Amino acid sequence: MSIATVLDDLRLSLPDIAETARVRRPVVSTWRRRHAGGPHPFPEPVAERHGSPRFQASDVVAWIEATGLGNNEQFRADVALGASLDVDDPQLAERLRTGFAAMLALKAATDEPLAALDGEDLLDLADEVDPHDDHLYAEIAALGPDQERVAALADLAADAAFTPGAAAEALVADRHRARRLELTASALAPAALHLVARLAAQVGGEGTVADPNPGCGDLLRAVLAGADGIDVPTALVPSGHRAARRRLAAHGWTPATLDADGSTPLPPSGALVVTQIPSTGTPELSDLEVLRRVDEIVLGLHPHQRAIVIGPASALAEATDARTEAVRSALLRTDRLRAALVLPPGLVTDRSRQRLGLWVLGAPPDVSIADRWTMVADLSDQPFDETFARGVVDDLLTDIEASLGGLDTVRAHSFRFARFVKVAQHLARGGSLVEPGQPVARGSLDDGGAAAVRITELTAMLDGGTRPSLGARVERGEAVQVRQAGLGALADERRVRRVPGNRLDAAHVVDAPERDPELTRVLGVDELTGSRPWGSRGIDTLLFAEAYPSGRLTEPGDVVVTSTPHPAAAVDHDGFSVVESPAWVLRVTRRPKRDDGAWPGAVVVPGMVARDVGAQAPGAKRWRAWETRLVSEDQADEVARVLRAADARAAAARRELAHLDELAEALCDGVAAGVVRMRLDETTHP
């Protein structure tokens, strides 16, 4: 079959024409309008699909070649990559699509043009290449009378893309334009595929990769393509996953077969298991089912075999329902989880807000069971484009490689992203596995009374003169294990409550003179980050009540918080303020309602929460993961009182500094202009 005949059977949409001609979409509409008449009129549409016109590919090719428009001299050849077969029957369209993919895999196995073969010869070649019908024979046979036409299309597409593998990738990429939801719901962005490929090359090493759940082969293709230094990387795929096999075969990789379901132990050759759950082309799974699939993989691993699993962070890392957490805890007890990551949102192309988790499984560390650890890292705020920054990936990979070693390796490595969690301690407390918050304390420390002495010295120094006393009286105590908790876990126990800020019209917020009785104080990001003095803005009290009937005021002791542009917080000791969004309020419960929670006898102190929020890393945006220290109930009131006094003194000091700066500036301006004259005050400066 000739190329001209193939082009007669292809239909192009306006976006197809623009993409293939390498111009922007509006340019094609301009062509249609400006060249509606004349010696070379733009072709008329021959069909319509979903309200959009479709054009015969041969007509468009002839018009582009006659006018010389566009930016692609190889338009005739490349048109096959942006074209779709004009088939209204969904079943026939799917049969043609899978047959086209099979033809590309067949073309990768032969040097002769497929268009030169008739239907019988095509079947003979398919039987020779795929004697056990693992991936392509049935699909080519199902084409029937369309075999020769699709074979010619495969020749054209492979020539346009230079290789059958590149043409197969173009066919897979077309799933988004064609709205094939079953193949796009879990499709990973290039940055995620690149990260997994780099990680597989780092921890795998032998070139044999197994995927018990390959879907359409996204991960396997990325990992095999990234296997630098390995001449012939090998893939292991369960039987029945024909789409993945066809895709790999188009690239020249012939995958070996696992057992029927891929769940039995893998060959003892050191194969690296790499999988996504759920993968593209497979049904949606609940978090519980995701973890059960991971459990099957863990049970099938050999003692020193490694695996990489990527899936929803809600299942692999975050605190969820009790049943899901119980299954994850059982997986942790196997001590095979060596590293757990949380990745930023946007790595699932059709779900911009979903976050992914990534597990690296390996042999347990050679330490006692009580001391075994898992490395955790949060990359939620790391930017990415087509890939993550090279330095980010390199540092992360070295962190993971070090975590897979022994205790000496861990001690010798300087970690950038990693934080270590003892498995036994996590199982005891539960909750999220990967906390992106900055740890605020690292255990008990007997300082020999140094802290008590220093606090006494500072109090004596600060209480001198006429300033109000802080009232801090301290004595040495006995060192204990520091108790700290994530704000999310405290919220689950109802010890703290998040209250959203108010969305205010900017025209309603005015500069507030001190103690104006008609204004209610407004607190927002500017006050928390120090851009504006505390209490320098307000809103008319009656206007707020009228314009914002659902508006909320703070209560005394509320912690006003923001995560933008970085975590910051302050305690509103007086209360009755309007908090402007995106700032919000963290309201602390004075005492736990019962003493049988996760932290019996421990109390949350607002002033300590504010300081611990301010100590978080600039990129830590998820408030539920921020950690704060807890204090014993008998110390809570005294700590809160002294922290409030310290805040008041700090606010007074800031006001005094502002007044001193204003004095100096006014003095310089006045003396320079001659409107102010200075004289010596002999009473104070004899």
Side-chain angles (χ1 to χ4, degrees):
M1 182 177 292
S2 66
I3 290 180
T5 304
V6 172
L7 293 178
D8 286 339
D9 293 332
L10 294 177
R11 302 294 181 264
L12 297 175
S13 67
L14 291 175
D16 292 335
I17 298 172
E19 181 180 358
T20 311
R22 299 174 188 170
V23 297
R24 295 185 177 182
R25 166 64 180 81
V27 173
V28 183
S29 296
T30 302
W31 289 347
R32 290 187 70 193
R33 184 175 66 253
R34 291 183 178 177
H35 298 273
H40 298 291
F42 194 89
E44 293 293 327
V46 296
E48 188 173 290
R49 180 82 51 81
H50 304 300
S52 299
R54 294 294 190 270
F55 302 84
Q56 186 166 294
S58 57
D59 292 342
V60 177
V61 168
W63 185 84
I64 288 287
E65 292 178 345
T67 60
L69 295 175
N71 300 311
N72 185 4
E73 296 180 356
Q74 302 296 325
F75 186 88
R76 175 178 290 271
D78 289 351
V79 72
L81 296 180
S84 58
L85 292 171
D86 185 27
V87 176
D88 294 324
D89 183 356
Q91 293 183 348
L92 178 57
E94 180 63 22
R95 187 160 65 249
L96 291 172
R97 190 178 294 110
T98 57
F100 181 41
M103 285 292 184
L104 291 174
L106 183 64
K107 184 168 181 59
T110 182
D111 294 331
E112 57 183 314
L114 298 182
L117 305 176
D118 59 20
E120 185 176 346
D121 290 336
L122 283 171
L123 285 178
D124 289 342
L125 180 60
D127 182 55
E128 179 182 341
V129 172
D130 185 23
H132 302 293
D133 191 16
D134 289 328
H135 58 289
L136 62 81
Y137 181 85
E139 285 77 5
I140 292 177
L143 288 173
D146 293 312
Q147 287 174 359
E148 296 181 26
R149 178 163 63 101
V150 176
L153 177 60
D155 282 340
L156 183 61
D159 290 341
F162 300 108
T163 65
E169 294 307 309
L171 179 63
V172 172
D174 189 61
R175 58 189 166 180
H176 296 284
R177 184 196 62 80
R179 301 176 184 175
R180 301 184 66 193
L181 299 181
E182 74 280 5
L183 293 181
T184 61
S186 301
L188 298 179
L193 295 172
H194 176 262
L195 177 63
V196 174
R198 287 285 310 276
L199 179 57
Q202 180 83 9
V203 305
E206 295 189 10
T208 301
V209 183
D211 190 346
N213 187 45
C216 68
D218 284 346
L219 268 188
L220 272 178
R221 184 262 169 188
V223 171
L224 293 176
D228 294 333
I230 300 175
D231 293 336
V232 186
T234 304
L236 300 174
V237 179
S239 57
H241 290 265
R242 302 177 68 89
R245 288 176 173 274
R246 285 193 297 272
R247 185 175 180 181
L248 298 180
H251 287 277
W253 299 309
T254 303
T257 304
L258 290 172
D259 67 299
D261 58 9
S263 61
T264 59
L266 297 170
S269 59
L272 174 69
V273 179
V274 179
T275 191
Q276 178 189 0
I277 305 175
S279 63
T280 51
T282 58
E284 288 293 309
L285 300 175
S286 66
D287 288 345
L288 189 62
E289 187 60 33
V290 168
L291 288 172
R292 285 174 175 166
R293 297 284 181 91
V294 177
D295 185 53
E296 292 178 0
I297 293 173
V298 172
L299 291 176
L301 293 178
H302 288 286
H304 295 284
Q305 198 167 28
R306 294 176 175 177
I308 300 171
V309 179
I310 189 169
S314 56
L316 299 181
E318 296 173 350
T320 51
D321 60 89
R323 293 180 62 196
T324 302
E325 191 164 337
V327 176
R328 189 168 63 208
S329 296
L331 284 168
L332 288 175
R333 289 187 179 93
T334 65
D335 292 316
R336 298 302 299 264
L337 179 60
R338 302 302 306 274
L341 315 178
V342 169
L343 304 177
L347 291 174
V348 180
T349 53
D350 277 7
R351 299 178 181 180
S352 60
R353 300 183 64 182
Q354 183 179 18
R355 297 191 311 145
L356 293 172
L358 190 149
W359 279 13
V360 179
L361 304 165
D366 189 18
V367 295
S368 65
I369 293 178
D371 292 330
R372 287 180 176 174
W373 69 79
T374 290
M375 187 209 91
V376 299
D378 181 75
L379 281 76
S380 294
D381 300 298
Q382 291 296 328
F384 64 90
D385 191 8
E386 287 296 306
T387 63
F388 289 94
R390 180 175 179 179
V392 170
V393 176
D394 289 345
D395 290 346
L396 178 64
L397 295 184
T398 56
D399 282 359
I400 294 175
E401 183 66 25
S403 72
L404 290 169
L407 188 59
D408 292 340
T409 304
V410 170
R411 288 174 174 172
H413 181 69
S414 177
F415 290 89
R416 175 179 176 184
F417 296 104
R419 187 163 65 88
F420 286 86
V421 174
K422 285 191 175 182
V423 175
Q425 292 179 358
H426 175 77
L427 292 175
R429 77 166 189 268
S432 176
L433 178 61
V434 179
E435 301 284 8
Q438 178 76 21
V440 293
R442 297 187 180 275
S444 61
L445 175 65
D446 190 346
D447 63 355
V453 171
R454 183 56 179 160
I455 293 173
T456 302
E457 293 174 349
L458 289 171
T459 302
M461 178 179 65
L462 293 170
D463 285 351
T466 59
R467 290 169 292 191
S469 172
L470 291 172
R473 300 293 182 264
V474 299
E475 59 185 27
R476 180 179 176 181
E478 294 185 4
V480 297
Q481 181 72 29
V482 176
R483 286 181 289 185
Q484 58 192 48
L487 294 182
L490 293 171
D492 293 339
E493 282 206 355
R494 299 183 180 179
R495 298 200 183 196
V496 298
R497 182 164 67 93
R498 187 184 189 275
V499 181
N502 301 276
R503 297 186 179 275
L504 303 179
D505 187 334
H508 293 164
V509 181
V510 298
D511 291 336
E514 290 189 27
R515 299 186 179 89
D516 189 330
E518 296 183 357
L519 296 179
T520 298
R521 180 171 53 192
V522 172
L523 303 175
V525 173
D526 288 346
E527 285 77 13
L528 295 173
T529 57
S531 299
R532 285 178 177 268
W534 190 269
S536 62
R537 297 188 301 154
I539 185 172
D540 185 274
T541 303
L542 296 180
L543 174 62
F544 180 72
E546 179 182 355
Y548 306 94
S550 300
R552 298 165 293 275
L553 299 177
T554 61
E555 296 180 1
D558 279 351
V559 184
V560 185
V561 183
T562 182
S563 60
T564 304
H566 56 79
V571 180
D572 184 9
H573 295 288
D574 299 325
F576 303 102
S577 302
V578 176
V579 174
E580 183 183 22
S581 180
W584 47 276
V585 168
L586 192 68
R587 186 160 293 158
V588 178
T589 302
R590 293 297 179 184
R591 294 289 185 270
K593 293 183 178 180
R594 59 183 187 275
D595 210 33
D596 57 350
W599 305 276
V603 175
V604 183
V605 177
M608 192 170 290
V609 171
R611 283 161 175 77
D612 289 341
V613 168
Q616 299 299 315
K621 305 293 186 182
R622 297 177 58 243
W623 71 272
R624 289 182 59 89
W626 297 342
E627 291 184 347
T628 187
R629 292 161 290 184
L630 309 178
V631 300
S632 59
E633 191 169 2
D634 64 329
Q635 292 288 297
D637 289 337
E638 283 301 304
V639 170
R641 182 185 60 78
V642 175
L643 289 177
R644 177 171 184 174
D647 286 344
R649 289 277 295 276
R654 285 191 293 269
R655 288 194 297 270
E656 183 175 356
L657 284 172
H659 291 156
L660 289 171
D661 286 340
E662 185 180 359
L663 167 65
E665 188 65 25
L667 176 61
C668 293
D669 290 343
V671 171
V675 298
V676 172
R677 291 182 60 81
M678 301 298 297
R679 63 181 178 83
L680 180 64
D681 187 349
E682 296 181 356
T683 60
T684 58
H685 293 81

